[in-house]
């Protein structure tokens, strides 16, 4: 399977949003929620103090351009009120009051500026990855893209094909629904593509504006946690079938796993006011099942050398602290501590979704990961589905 990965380019959201800002905004909007007395402790438990967003917090909480007047319009509203016995003066007062109430942003108002940012950030990441690899846009034979939080057709693949620009014969492979596994699964697909043609150059670009799931009106505990977790990031990397001077990681094997009956645990829902990330409390335990399955895959892969083999670095999309803790608790006996240090470091500035594994990989590279180190990459996503890769640092 051998595929060679150049260091990724990582573009963080330029707007620093502090946890204290989110707490103040949510507390002011939902002072009587059941979880309001515990909000400080809930926020502290995430371990995240600041995250980067492509757009400022003010953009997420701003009212829409419409009003609270029913969508039917002023005329039908007047008729309905008059027919219910309201005087003309009362009708005027009600209509004026309704017009003064700001309506939530529409899905278009939320998504349009985020989609523009995703394209811009994706282009910057793509150009950065090509520069790191010592290549030009004309060298790219295939482009794999993912952006689950800003649905668009055509998508990021066509946008980048025009922005960079790419050759007209480049194979475009958009994977908008991969979400959190976009990092690992795109690399697995890229490895298969270069295995079929070692001279092929694959560019992977993932850009996620997860801040679009920040929904001010939601008052559930799960929605509070969603507001606290997510960060916006664009990443990109070049994968080739032959080693290059810039290559830093060789990918040797891939593993995929899907848990049946778990498709409703985590999901995106598009409503009138935008995209909502719906999270079930059973999710972390389901993710843990995929971790257990991954350990079994590695055990079988190295069953002839169980005592001497272990990864030197584990690049795992964290999802949350509970998953990281479970991974550490269930690692095979004898494995060294600290394998998840870069994953934990990445998580302190937010959950980056599909871009997370590339960000973690970049942190390992910047920290000077030693040549010859064994690496395992892992991520799980709504579905519930997971992908892992195993390889060696060059």
């Amino acid at each position: 399977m051998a595929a060679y990965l150049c260091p990724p380019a990582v573009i963080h959201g330029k707007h620093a949003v502090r946890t204290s800002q989110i707490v103040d905004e949510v507390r002011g909007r939902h002072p009587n929620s059941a979880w309001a007395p515990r909000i400080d402790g809930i926020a502290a438990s995430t371990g995240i103090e600041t995250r980067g967003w492509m757009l400022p917090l003010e953009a997420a909480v701003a009212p829409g351009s419409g009003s609270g007047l029913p969508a039917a319009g002023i005329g039908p509203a007047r008729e309905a009120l008059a027919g219910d016995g309201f005087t003309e003066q009362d009708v005027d007062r009600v209509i004026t009051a309704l017009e003064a109430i700001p309506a939530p942003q529409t899905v278009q108002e939320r998504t349009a500026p985020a989609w523009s940012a995703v394209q811009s950030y994706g282009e910057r990441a793509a150009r950065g990855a090509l520069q790191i690899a010592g290549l030009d846009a004309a060298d790219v034979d295939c482009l794999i893209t993912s952006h689950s939080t800003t649905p668009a057709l055509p998508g990021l693949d066509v946008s980048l094909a025009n922005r960079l620009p790419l050759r007209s014969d480049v194979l475009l492979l958009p994977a908008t629904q991969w979400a959190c596994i976009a990092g690992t699964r795109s690399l697995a697909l890229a490895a298969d593509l270069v295995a079929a043609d070692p001279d092929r150059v694959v560019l992977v670009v993932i850009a996620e504006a997860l801040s679009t799931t920040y929904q001010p009106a939601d008052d559930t505990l799960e929605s509070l946690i969603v507001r606290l977790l997510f960060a916006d990031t664009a990443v990109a990397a070049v994968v080739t079938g032959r080693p290059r001077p810039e290559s830093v990681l060789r990918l040797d094997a891939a593993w995929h796993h899907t848990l049946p009956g778990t498709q409703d645990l985590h999901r995106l829902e598009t409503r009138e006011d935008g995209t909502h990330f719906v999270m079930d409390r059973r999710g972390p335990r389901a993710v843990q099942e995929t971790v257990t399955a991954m350990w079994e895959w590695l055990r079988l892969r190295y069953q002839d050398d169980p005592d001497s083999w272990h990864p030197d670095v584990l690049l795992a999309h964290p999802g949350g602290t509970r998953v990281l803790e479970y991974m550490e608790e269930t690692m095979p006996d004898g494995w060294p501590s600290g394998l998840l240090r870069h994953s934990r470091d990445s998580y302190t500035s937010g959950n980056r979704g599909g871009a997370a594994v590339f960000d973690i990989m970049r942190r390992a590279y910047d920290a000077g990961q030693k040549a010859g180190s064994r690496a395992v990459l892992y991520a799980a996503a709504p579905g519930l589905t997971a992908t892992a890769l195993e390889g060696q640092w060059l």
Side-chain angles (χ1 to χ4, degrees):
M1 175 190 177
Y4 299 89
L5 178 65
C6 294
V10 180
I11 311 296
H12 301 289
K14 68 177 182 180
H15 297 279
V17 179
R18 299 188 305 277
T19 295
S20 59
Q21 292 176 277
I22 294 175
V23 168
D24 289 344
E25 195 280 327
V26 175
R27 180 184 282 121
R29 194 178 295 269
H30 302 289
N32 299 317
S33 294
W35 40 260
R38 299 185 289 125
I39 188 171
D40 290 317
I42 294 169
S45 69
T46 66
I48 302 168
E49 294 186 359
T50 305
R51 75 281 294 139
W53 284 2
M54 294 181 184
L55 300 172
L57 175 61
E58 292 75 17
V61 302
S65 58
S67 72
L69 192 66
I74 294 177
R78 282 186 173 277
E79 292 179 9
L81 290 168
D84 203 34
F86 283 78
T87 66
E88 183 175 351
Q89 187 177 15
D90 288 338
V91 169
D92 289 339
R93 282 203 303 268
V94 171
I95 293 295
T96 300
L98 288 174
E99 287 182 315
I101 300 173
Q105 294 183 47
T106 64
V107 63
Q108 181 180 10
E109 289 173 324
R110 279 307 291 275
T111 303
W115 169 230
S116 178
V118 161
Q119 294 176 85
S120 176
Y121 273 69
E123 179 184 356
R124 289 172 56 196
R127 292 186 182 279
L130 290 171
Q131 183 178 19
I132 290 170
L135 297 171
D136 297 320
D139 297 314
V140 176
D141 301 302
C142 174
L143 172 67
I144 302 173
T145 60
S146 184
H147 58 102
S148 301
T149 46
T150 46
L153 183 66
L156 185 59
D157 58 327
V158 174
S159 174
L160 293 179
N162 285 276
R163 284 169 172 258
L164 291 176
L166 301 179
R167 303 191 319 265
S168 60
D169 63 342
V170 168
L171 174 62
L172 304 180
L173 294 174
T176 52
Q177 291 177 313
W178 274 350
C180 297
I181 54 167
T184 52
R185 194 155 292 180
S186 61
L187 292 178
L189 175 57
D192 287 341
L193 290 168
V194 299
D197 180 0
D199 292 322
R200 182 176 279 154
V201 173
V202 180
L203 174 63
V204 175
V205 182
I206 304 163
E208 291 288 15
L210 292 163
S211 59
T212 57
T213 63
Y214 191 109
Q215 294 296 343
D218 288 354
D219 65 352
T220 65
L221 176 60
E222 289 75 19
S223 70
L224 168 65
I225 295 172
V226 167
R227 288 199 271 265
L228 292 167
L229 289 185
F230 288 140
D232 297 346
T233 316
V235 296
V238 169
V239 181
T240 58
R242 305 185 193 279
R244 297 180 53 80
E246 300 84 4
S247 301
V248 294
L249 182 64
R250 187 189 69 234
L251 303 174
D252 296 326
W255 165 87
H256 306 286
H257 188 75
T258 300
L259 286 175
T262 57
Q263 64 269 26
D264 292 330
L265 294 187
H266 299 111
R267 62 191 185 275
L268 283 179
E269 291 184 354
T270 301
R271 305 173 189 169
E272 290 182 351
D273 57 350
T275 303
H276 295 246
F277 186 78
V278 181
M279 184 168 57
D280 192 291
R281 297 182 188 183
R282 298 171 296 162
R285 185 163 297 278
V287 174
Q288 290 169 8
E289 290 187 43
T290 70
V291 172
T292 301
M294 179 184 65
W295 294 150
E296 179 63 11
W297 168 64
L298 290 171
R299 185 189 70 80
L300 293 174
R301 181 165 169 76
Y302 288 95
Q303 58 185 328
D304 295 332
D305 194 19
D307 296 327
S308 61
W309 187 89
H310 62 75
D312 299 293
V313 62
L314 181 52
L315 312 175
H317 166 49
T321 54
R322 289 173 61 187
V323 175
L324 290 175
E325 291 168 357
Y326 179 81
M327 295 184 82
E328 290 177 332
E329 292 168 359
T330 59
M331 284 180 188
D333 293 338
W335 281 22
S337 61
L339 296 182
L340 288 164
R341 59 192 178 279
H342 301 302
S343 298
R344 287 191 174 280
D345 182 45
S346 174
Y347 183 71
T348 60
S349 51
N351 180 331
R352 293 176 170 80
V357 166
F358 279 39
D359 176 65
I360 298 164
M361 188 189 318
R362 181 71 205 197
R363 292 168 190 267
Y365 171 73
D366 290 341
Q369 191 68 38
K370 293 181 180 179
S373 300
R374 301 302 303 179
V376 171
L377 292 68
Y378 162 86
L384 226 159
T385 184
T387 291
L389 300 113
E390 186 267 324
Q392 181 174 326
W393 218 266
L394 301 176

